[in-house]
Amino acid sequence: ALRFTETARARITKAGGECLTFDKLALRSPLGKGTVLLRGPVKAREAERYFGRAPGVPGSHTKQRVRSKGRKFEKARGKRASRGYKA
């Protein structure tokens, strides 16, 4: 890898693994045999929260695209159970 966080390095070494940079890995195993390359979660970015079933549909955990988070923006009837009903 280019860099490791301290917790990632600790978890890898505790499991019996080894942390190498790409140049050291290329010197040790030029063909890459017997090596496992790991990477972080692909869907961890903020934009992924907005993808999926439409917000408000039963069973959906998709985040709404809201212009602002103020009092007047998408807090009225139909959006909140405390304001009459929730669709």
Side-chain angles (χ1 to χ4, degrees), residues 15-84:
E18 188 176 4
C19 300
L20 296 174
T21 56
F22 284 119
D23 54 343
K24 291 180 182 176
L25 177 65
L27 290 173
R28 182 180 296 186
S29 177
L31 298 178
K33 292 183 178 177
T35 61
V36 178
L37 299 179
L38 303 175
R39 70 178 190 176
V42 178
K43 299 214 176 232
R45 63 195 192 110
E46 174 73 20
E48 292 286 338
R49 295 181 181 197
Y50 296 96
F51 301 154
R53 301 184 65 191
V57 174
S60 168
H61 298 288
T62 308
K63 195 172 182 180
Q64 296 182 26
R65 293 190 185 273
V66 180
R67 188 174 59 172
S68 291
K69 291 190 72 172
R71 171 185 58 84
K72 298 188 286 188
F73 301 98
E74 303 200 23
K75 305 257 193 228
R77 297 179 68 234
K79 296 287 184 183
R80 304 176 66 81
S82 61
R83 302 289 187 271

